[in-house]
Amino acid sequence: IMATDFGGVINANRIYNIINLSTGNTAATPPIVTGILFRFTGGNNAIINNMISIGSGQDNGASYFGMINLAGSTNVLNIINNTVHIAGTVTAGGLNSAAFQRGYNTEVATPTITMRNNILDNQRSGGVGKHYAISNISSTIGWDANASNFSVLNSSSASTIGNWLGADHTFTSWQTASSSDGQSFSGETVLYTNIPNADLHLNMGTTPTVLES
């Protein structure tokens, strides 16, 4: 879903089976797979209650982003109650991936952002790229204290839970650098009903967890 010059809500979608077979590996002009892309949006916008599953069975080096925000300015973007799962093992080359990313290359996004109750679960691995749960490579503008909170941030590598303005972070250092996610969790096992078809309802059994009780 691509939202350009949009002021509204993207709600209750199941997004999956998006494929990009390009073999390009240049970050400036990357092949990209993304579930939801916001670009040059105005007014108040929201991404709510979506399930995004990408990357399953895909071993190429494209950039995979569950949600990405590009080139916004003074607008508001609320990202609430979404579940993103990125899968796949890159066999050669490879660009970065992120369950959520703000900005890309020369695209600077500065909306006022609020993220709550999201599961950002990036289990993609391999290649020379890095695989983040959450990434803000854009700006501190519009990212207030606890802009993101009450969420689950998972990566296939504990050293790349977050990317803050180009620097890699563990969960603890991400909390410090971003002044966010004080009540979030990381490293939690998340079991879903059907990943390839983006049925990301939790399937955790009857034992209480931090995700559900």
Side-chain angles (χ1 to χ4, degrees), residues 28-124:
T29 55
I32 287 178
V33 174
T34 186
I36 297 175
L37 185 152
F38 265 78
R39 190 169 189 268
F40 291 120
T41 56
N44 294 329
N45 302 273
I47 304 173
I48 303 173
N49 292 330
N50 298 282
M51 296 182 180
I52 302 170
S53 179
I54 55 177
S56 291
Q58 302 301 308
D59 61 4
N60 66 322
S63 279
Y64 285 76
F65 300 114
M67 300 177 287
I68 188 168
N69 174 217
L70 300 177
S73 54
T74 58
N75 56 302
V76 173
L77 180 56
N78 298 311
I79 302 174
I80 313 292
N81 294 340
N82 300 281
T83 301
V84 177
H85 185 274
I86 304 180
T89 301
V90 182
T91 55
L95 299 168
N96 293 350
S97 67
F100 171 77
Q101 179 150 309
R102 187 177 191 240
Y104 190 89
N105 199 21
T106 59
E107 300 264 10
V108 178
T110 57
T112 299
I113 194 163
T114 299
M115 302 178 67
R116 294 289 184 271
N117 301 326
N118 298 289
I119 297 176
L120 304 179
D121 189 13
N122 187 355
Q123 297 302 317
R124 196 163 179 80

Side-chain angles (χ1 to χ4, degrees), residues 87-166:
T89 301
V90 182
T91 55
L95 299 168
N96 293 350
S97 67
F100 171 77
Q101 179 150 309
R102 187 177 191 240
Y104 190 89
N105 199 21
T106 59
E107 300 264 10
V108 178
T110 57
T112 299
I113 194 163
T114 299
M115 302 178 67
R116 294 289 184 271
N117 301 326
N118 298 289
I119 297 176
L120 304 179
D121 189 13
N122 187 355
Q123 297 302 317
R124 196 163 179 80
S125 61
V128 297
K130 298 178 181 179
H131 308 289
Y132 303 98
I134 188 168
S135 175
N136 175 24
I137 61 172
S138 205
S139 173
T140 60
I141 297 172
W143 191 289
D144 298 329
N146 279 318
S148 173
N149 207 0
F150 304 106
S151 296
V152 174
L153 308 180
N154 284 345
S155 169
S156 59
S157 171
S159 64
T160 56
I161 295 298
N163 181 331
W164 181 257
L165 304 182

